Amino acid sequence: DVKVTQSSRYLVKRTGEKVFLECVQDMDHENMFWYRQDPGLGLRLIYFSYDVKMKEKGDIPEGYSVSREKKERFSLILESASTNQTSMYLCASSPPGTRTSTDTQYFGPGTRLTVL
Amino acid sequence: AQSVAQPEDQVNVAEGNPLTVKCTYSVSGNPYLFWYVQYPNRGLQFLLKYITGDNLVKGSYGFEAEFNKSQTSFHLKKPSALVSDSALYFCAVRAPFTGGGNKLTFGTGTQLKVEL
């Protein structure tokens, strides 16, 4: 079974702190994703990466950055946390999509971040 | 741009009755469509997907979904609901492969409540 793990289930930080959220997958997947989930808004894509050291902005990248130094690990960084970044953060991974197939994204359990 | 609409924030159904969770989509080209389920304090779990072929797709836990191209819909169904089906359900869409990852666009989610 694919396993996607996230470093923390719950995290409480103060405004202005630098926050690191870590995600690790064990299936050698090329693609990795960071979403945030908010009630009534569903999941919104923050950043994704389709290869080591490659990254692309999603729909809401402002206030976030990412790092992918190794294939299995994708980090989300909040450079200076703000209260409006209080949310559930979900990481996902998948094999690459191709012209004749598409592949399921597998999700981690999520990190519920509270910024005070 | 691709988009997904889940018109109902919540669906209530009695155990043993059939259930339907609605989803409509907008995408250029033939869509790849997904349903995911999220139980409380958990990540998203894949239920089923439509890529091509038979319009009726069967998935996990007795769920199925019907792809209707003319109505641009992909409604999730189950003939007989269980209390344990109570969860948050997300529909997602992806356009055919365009390179550089396989981004999904998610709906806002529908809370399913199955009561005795």
Side-chain angles (χ1 to χ4, degrees):
Chain A
D1 279 351
V2 175
K3 191 165 185 183
V4 180
T5 57
Q6 296 183 229
S7 50
S8 305
R9 292 299 304 273
Y10 300 94
L11 206 54
V12 180
K13 296 292 182 181
R14 298 216 173 266
T15 301
E17 282 192 76
K18 190 169 187 175
V19 182
F20 293 86
L21 302 182
E22 305 286 339
C23 175
V24 177
Q25 49 95 4
D26 66 357
M27 282 301 292
D28 202 35
H29 284 167
E30 282 80 1
N31 297 324
M32 295 189 75
F33 307 82
W34 275 107
Y35 296 89
R36 64 177 282 176
Q37 180 182 4
D38 300 287
L41 297 177
L43 273 73
R44 293 179 291 166
L45 182 64
I46 304 171
Y47 268 97
F48 71 101
S49 168
Y50 54 90
D51 203 352
V52 175
K53 296 191 185 295
M54 304 299 289
K55 60 184 180 184
E56 284 198 23
K57 293 179 180 179
D59 300 318
I60 52 164
E62 297 78 19
Y64 303 94
S65 62
V66 290
S67 172
R68 192 157 180 211
E69 298 296 318
K70 294 184 178 180
K71 192 174 186 179
E72 67 272 17
R73 187 180 297 268
F74 191 36
S75 302
L76 179 69
I77 303 157
L78 287 66
E79 295 289 344
S80 178
S82 64
T83 55
N84 62 13
Q85 292 179 310
T86 292
S87 186
M88 169 72 91
Y89 289 88
L90 294 169
C91 175
S93 74
S94 77
T98 69
R99 291 191 181 278
T100 58
S101 70
T102 187
D103 292 288
T104 303
Q105 289 186 19
Y106 297 89
F107 283 81
T111 296
R112 187 166 293 281
L113 173 66
T114 301
V115 182
L116 301 175
Chain B
Q2 56 198 42
S3 65
V4 172
Q6 292 182 244
E8 301 156 317
D9 290 336
Q10 181 160 322
V11 170
N12 297 320
V13 65
E15 189 175 52
N17 283 359
L19 70 87
T20 298
V21 182
K22 295 180 180 177
C23 171
T24 58
Y25 66 89
S26 173
V27 71
S28 298
N30 294 320
Y32 298 160
L33 294 156
F34 300 77
W35 275 103
Y36 285 82
V37 61
Q38 185 180 37
Y39 298 100
N41 299 314
R42 304 279 294 277
L44 273 67
Q45 295 178 32
F46 169 74
L47 272 181
L48 51 81
K49 66 182 177 184
Y50 171 83
I51 306 302
T52 187
D54 194 345
N55 289 344
L56 186 64
V57 179
K58 293 188 183 298
S60 306
Y61 312 122
F63 283 93
E64 58 189 28
E66 186 168 11
F67 171 63
N68 187 317
K69 189 172 184 178
S70 62
Q71 296 185 3
T72 62
S73 67
F74 189 56
H75 300 331
L76 181 71
K77 299 181 180 184
K78 188 173 182 182
S80 179
L82 299 172
V83 171
S84 57
D85 293 328
S86 298
L88 186 58
Y89 291 80
F90 289 97
C91 182
V93 67
R94 184 170 87 78
F97 181 74
T98 55
N102 57 343
K103 291 193 297 181
L104 293 178
T105 298
F106 285 84
T108 52
T110 298
Q111 185 70 48
L112 174 66
K113 188 174 182 181
V114 182
E115 297 168 310
L116 291 170

